[in-house]
Amino acid sequence: MWYAFHMPKKSKIIQVPMPEQLLASLDEMSQKQEVSRSALIREACAKYITSTQEAEWDRQYAEAYAKHPEDDEGGWRDKLAAEVIGYEDWSDVDDKS
């Protein structure tokens, strides 16, 4: 419950209409997790905002990649890897394994 422990000192109280069955489920979960209903709602809201932002970043990345895909024209990745790794002598390796 990261958000519950890092809640700003100044908070605003809100009222949110909620179906009775959802409220009952929320109360049951808060009892099982031994946290207040308010803390559970704050955590759910924080997770929703985070996941929505991450989904937007993923969408932006995919859009940018579609416009400018990576290419390996000229095999530059293989050439660079060969420069970094260098030549390895495998002549002393036994093929019988």
Side-chain angles (χ1 to χ4, degrees), residues 3-93:
Y3 189 79
F5 295 114
H6 296 86
M7 191 175 78
K9 291 181 182 181
K10 188 174 182 181
S11 298
K12 183 140 183 134
I13 296 174
I14 62 169
Q15 292 183 2
V16 178
M18 189 173 297
E20 288 184 28
Q21 182 57 43
L22 180 57
L23 182 60
S25 297
L26 185 63
D27 286 340
E28 182 181 322
M29 184 175 285
S30 71
Q31 286 177 350
K32 284 181 182 176
Q33 295 186 6
E34 298 179 347
V35 297
S36 69
R37 180 196 298 165
S38 297
L40 204 58
I41 292 171
R42 280 191 297 272
E43 181 68 18
C45 290
K47 285 182 179 181
Y48 176 77
I49 290 169
T50 299
S51 68
T52 301
Q53 182 63 62
E54 288 173 351
E56 175 60 15
W57 291 335
D58 289 345
R59 186 199 63 74
Q60 290 174 359
Y61 177 82
E63 182 180 306
Y65 187 85
K67 288 180 182 176
H68 307 285
E70 294 180 17
D71 62 9
D72 191 13
E73 191 174 308
W76 63 270
R77 285 190 181 99
D78 291 338
K79 291 175 187 174
L80 182 59
E83 286 179 27
V84 172
I85 295 171
Y87 174 78
E88 295 183 15
D89 183 11
W90 289 78
S91 63
D92 61 339
V93 175

